[in-house]
Amino acid sequence: MPVQHPQPENPTPLVETTIPGGWTWSSPIPRGSAIRLTDVDGGANAALTALRLSDPSERYCMGDTLKPQHRSRLTAGDALYSDMGRILLSLIEDEVGGHDPFGGLGDDRLLTHRHGPQDYQSQRNGWWRSGRESLTVELAKHGLGRADVGDVVNLFSLVDVAADGTTALRQGHSPAGASVVLRAELDLLVAIHCGPHPHAADGPWAPKPVALRVDPIAPPAADDPVRLRCPENARGLAASEQAARLAA
């Protein structure tokens, strides 16, 4: 009989770091990985986008994510689709209670209006950086450009829509220590910016940090909640699984 070696309770993660408030992070993430993001202090916002590693022209698409699932917010059991109908990420755990898929990214014009003009020479590491410019710079590290900054999901944030169509960021939505876990269904390039949501109220520049951990995870089973969420998700996961087999 072979010797049974006990498995460690907390195996070494593939990645473990904290993204400071106002900063941006990116990395290739292999298929079969669980990305756990944790709101360290409460009130964080993490704008996340994902592109297929082998072909970055295939990327997260808000419209193709919301239409088949009939969703205006994302939570456990939902999927993040590419513009090719494949599922890039599955949302498998959610301690927050919903995340904003349509608020988008802030830009330099918005932050200049809120905080006044700034530059690194005068403010050093305390200067504000918009989500759009930050993700543009981050993707440039991987040979990509401004045109590759597409849709994002604003994790830890939720936007309410009133009867008259006006929108407002829900205050106090994400408590300290709350986590969300996404499972990579293809080899991806994932980029995250931890800056204020574009709908955030005016005030001092004080973005919150987000802890990140990436671990291996089993592939989705036949009874996986994301697969069973709707027929489109079953087809989306099957398309991702086929693409992964063909790329192997």
Side-chain angles (χ1 to χ4, degrees):
M1 178 178 292
V3 175
Q4 298 295 317
H5 297 284
Q7 296 297 313
E9 292 185 4
N10 297 299
T12 302
L14 301 175
V15 179
E16 189 168 27
T17 190
T18 296
I19 309 170
W23 290 71
T24 310
W25 174 93
S26 65
S27 178
I29 299 293
R31 167 178 162 83
S33 298
I35 308 167
R36 177 177 294 274
L37 297 163
T38 302
D39 185 347
V40 176
D41 299 328
N45 181 74
L48 177 147
T49 193
L51 306 89
R52 192 170 175 190
L53 192 61
S54 61
D55 180 7
S57 68
E58 181 176 357
R59 63 196 63 176
Y60 165 66
C61 177
M62 177 189 68
D64 288 350
T65 292
L66 301 186
K67 286 185 292 184
Q69 299 177 105
H70 304 284
R71 306 291 281 178
S72 62
R73 59 190 62 178
L74 300 175
T75 188
D78 291 329
L80 277 63
Y81 279 78
S82 79
D83 48 7
M84 297 296 289
R86 287 181 274 261
I87 292 177
L88 301 180
L89 292 160
S90 295
L91 212 163
I92 59 174
E93 294 182 29
D94 181 16
E95 298 175 348
V96 181
H99 306 267
D100 164 46
F102 55 78
L105 288 166
D107 57 19
D108 281 4
R109 183 172 61 175
L110 173 64
L111 292 190
T112 299
H113 172 75
R114 284 182 178 169
H115 307 292
Q118 290 187 6
D119 55 36
Y120 176 76
Q121 286 74 18
S122 61
Q123 301 295 322
R124 298 301 181 186
N125 287 340
W127 72 313
W128 55 252
R129 292 173 293 276
S130 71
R132 184 162 300 280
E133 291 304 315
S134 293
L135 285 180
T136 299
V137 172
E138 194 65 31
L139 291 181
K141 299 175 184 178
H142 304 276
L144 303 175
R146 187 175 297 275
D148 297 297
V149 180
D151 296 335
V152 300
V153 177
N154 281 296
L155 300 171
F156 306 111
S157 295
L158 202 59
V159 173
D160 292 316
V161 182
D164 63 358
T166 57
T167 58
L169 186 67
R170 184 177 297 183
Q171 300 302 308
H173 178 59
S174 178
S179 294
V180 57
V181 181
L182 301 107
R183 181 181 60 215
E185 308 296 1
L186 288 166
D187 292 339
L188 302 175
L189 173 61
V190 173
I192 301 168
H193 174 66
C194 293
H197 190 282
H199 284 61
D202 290 347
W205 172 254
K208 303 295 185 68
V210 170
L212 179 146
R213 177 177 170 129
V214 180
D215 291 287
I217 192 173
D223 61 350
D224 184 80
V226 176
R227 195 185 299 275
L228 300 180
R229 169 76 173 78
C230 58
E232 289 83 359
N233 279 8
R235 291 193 288 270
L237 279 176
S240 296
E241 290 159 351
Q242 180 185 61
R245 289 195 299 272
L246 291 173

Short mmCIF file of all heavy atoms in Angstrom, two decimals, residues 8 34 46 50 73 105-107 113-114 130 135 145 180 207 231 237:
data_model
loop_
_atom_site.label_atom_id
_atom_site.label_comp_id
_atom_site.label_asym_id
_atom_site.label_seq_id
_atom_site.Cartn_x
_atom_site.Cartn_y
_atom_site.Cartn_z
N PRO A 8 -1.35 19.70 3.37
CA PRO A 8 -1.38 20.84 4.27
C PRO A 8 -2.76 21.51 4.26
O PRO A 8 -3.44 21.55 3.23
CB PRO A 8 -0.32 21.78 3.68
CG PRO A 8 -0.20 21.37 2.24
CD PRO A 8 -0.45 19.90 2.22
N ALA A 34 -8.53 29.78 -8.32
CA ALA A 34 -9.52 30.55 -7.57
C ALA A 34 -8.88 31.86 -7.14
O ALA A 34 -7.85 31.87 -6.46
CB ALA A 34 -10.00 29.77 -6.36
N ALA A 46 -12.89 47.44 -6.35
CA ALA A 46 -11.85 46.80 -7.18
C ALA A 46 -12.41 46.62 -8.58
O ALA A 46 -13.26 45.76 -8.81
CB ALA A 46 -11.43 45.46 -6.59
N ALA A 50 -10.70 41.10 -17.49
CA ALA A 50 -10.00 39.86 -17.83
C ALA A 50 -9.96 39.72 -19.34
O ALA A 50 -10.94 40.01 -20.04
CB ALA A 50 -10.69 38.66 -17.20
N ARG A 73 -26.80 42.91 -11.56
CA ARG A 73 -25.70 42.85 -10.59
C ARG A 73 -25.22 41.41 -10.57
O ARG A 73 -25.95 40.48 -10.95
CB ARG A 73 -26.16 43.28 -9.21
CG ARG A 73 -27.29 42.44 -8.63
CD ARG A 73 -27.87 43.05 -7.38
NE ARG A 73 -28.47 44.35 -7.64
CZ ARG A 73 -29.09 45.07 -6.72
NH1 ARG A 73 -29.20 44.62 -5.48
NH2 ARG A 73 -29.62 46.23 -7.02
N LEU A 105 -15.34 52.79 -15.44
CA LEU A 105 -14.09 53.32 -14.90
C LEU A 105 -14.14 54.84 -14.84
O LEU A 105 -14.67 55.50 -15.74
CB LEU A 105 -12.91 52.92 -15.78
CG LEU A 105 -12.47 51.46 -15.75
CD1 LEU A 105 -11.53 51.18 -16.91
CD2 LEU A 105 -11.81 51.12 -14.42
N GLY A 106 -13.53 55.40 -13.79
CA GLY A 106 -13.32 56.84 -13.76
C GLY A 106 -12.14 57.22 -14.63
O GLY A 106 -11.27 56.40 -14.92
N ASP A 107 -12.11 58.48 -15.08
CA ASP A 107 -11.00 58.95 -15.89
C ASP A 107 -10.38 60.19 -15.25
O ASP A 107 -10.83 60.67 -14.21
CB ASP A 107 -11.44 59.22 -17.33
CG ASP A 107 -12.58 60.24 -17.42
OD1 ASP A 107 -12.81 60.99 -16.45
OD2 ASP A 107 -13.24 60.28 -18.48
N HIS A 113 -11.93 67.01 -11.58
CA HIS A 113 -13.11 67.74 -11.10
C HIS A 113 -13.28 67.54 -9.60
O HIS A 113 -13.63 68.48 -8.87
CB HIS A 113 -14.35 67.27 -11.86
CG HIS A 113 -15.63 67.81 -11.32
ND1 HIS A 113 -16.04 69.11 -11.52
CD2 HIS A 113 -16.60 67.21 -10.55
CE1 HIS A 113 -17.20 69.30 -10.92
NE2 HIS A 113 -17.56 68.16 -10.33
N ARG A 114 -13.04 66.32 -9.12
CA ARG A 114 -13.27 66.02 -7.69
C ARG A 114 -12.15 66.52 -6.80
O ARG A 114 -12.39 67.01 -5.70
CB ARG A 114 -13.43 64.50 -7.50
CG ARG A 114 -14.76 63.95 -7.94
CD ARG A 114 -14.83 62.47 -7.65
NE ARG A 114 -16.14 61.94 -8.03
CZ ARG A 114 -16.41 60.64 -8.08
NH1 ARG A 114 -15.47 59.75 -7.80
NH2 ARG A 114 -17.62 60.24 -8.42
N SER A 130 -6.48 57.70 -12.04
CA SER A 130 -7.80 57.23 -12.46
C SER A 130 -7.74 55.77 -12.87
O SER A 130 -6.70 55.24 -13.26
CB SER A 130 -8.32 58.08 -13.61
OG SER A 130 -7.61 57.81 -14.81
N LEU A 135 -5.31 51.29 -15.62
CA LEU A 135 -5.40 50.02 -16.34
C LEU A 135 -4.70 50.09 -17.69
O LEU A 135 -4.15 49.09 -18.16
CB LEU A 135 -6.86 49.60 -16.50
CG LEU A 135 -7.53 49.06 -15.24
CD1 LEU A 135 -8.98 48.69 -15.52
CD2 LEU A 135 -6.79 47.84 -14.68
N GLY A 145 -2.48 47.95 -25.31
CA GLY A 145 -2.61 49.40 -25.38
C GLY A 145 -3.95 49.90 -24.89
O GLY A 145 -4.77 49.15 -24.34
N VAL A 180 -14.82 37.86 -2.05
CA VAL A 180 -15.45 37.32 -3.23
C VAL A 180 -14.43 36.43 -3.93
O VAL A 180 -13.23 36.73 -3.91
CB VAL A 180 -15.94 38.46 -4.17
CG1 VAL A 180 -14.80 39.38 -4.56
CG2 VAL A 180 -16.61 37.91 -5.41
N PRO A 207 -8.64 55.88 -1.37
CA PRO A 207 -8.99 54.54 -1.85
C PRO A 207 -8.56 53.48 -0.84
O PRO A 207 -7.60 53.66 -0.10
CB PRO A 207 -8.23 54.42 -3.16
CG PRO A 207 -7.09 55.37 -3.02
CD PRO A 207 -7.59 56.50 -2.18
N PRO A 231 -29.44 27.78 -18.91
CA PRO A 231 -28.92 27.00 -20.03
C PRO A 231 -27.74 27.68 -20.72
O PRO A 231 -26.82 27.00 -21.20
CB PRO A 231 -30.12 26.87 -20.97
CG PRO A 231 -31.32 27.02 -20.09
CD PRO A 231 -30.91 27.99 -19.01
N LEU A 237 -19.85 27.41 -20.33
CA LEU A 237 -18.79 26.60 -19.72
C LEU A 237 -18.32 25.51 -20.68
O LEU A 237 -17.12 25.22 -20.76
CB LEU A 237 -19.29 25.98 -18.42
CG LEU A 237 -19.26 26.88 -17.18
CD1 LEU A 237 -19.88 26.17 -15.99
CD2 LEU A 237 -17.83 27.31 -16.85
#
